[in-house]
Amino acid sequence: MSKFAKLKEVVATAETDAEKFYKAGNGAAGTRLRKALQEIKTLAQEIRTEVTEKKNAAK
């Protein structure tokens, strides 16, 4: 569950950077947004793996 909380935190940060990039044209915010999106992808994959393991262990 801690990974899911971390995912929510990263999404919130990414939202702030997305607004700065798209509304203000801040290039540095775009870089931070891309980094955050990569982290979201990684966390999501880890959560998926964890869920699958837990689901299969229950059988």
Side-chain angles (χ1 to χ4, degrees), residues 3-36:
K3 287 183 184 179
F4 191 75
K6 175 69 174 166
L7 179 65
K8 290 184 351 184
E9 179 184 314
V10 174
V11 168
T13 302
E15 183 176 4
T16 303
D17 287 328
E19 287 179 17
K20 289 178 183 177
F21 177 71
Y22 286 110
K23 292 184 179 177
N26 184 330
T31 301
R32 290 190 303 270
L33 176 59
R34 291 180 67 233
K35 182 179 178 185

Side-chain angles (χ1 to χ4, degrees), residues 23-47:
K23 292 184 179 177
N26 184 330
T31 301
R32 290 190 303 270
L33 176 59
R34 291 180 67 233
K35 182 179 178 185
L37 290 170
Q38 186 63 41
E39 188 175 354
I40 289 168
K41 177 183 172 184
T42 302
L43 283 168
Q45 185 60 47
E46 289 173 5
I47 292 169

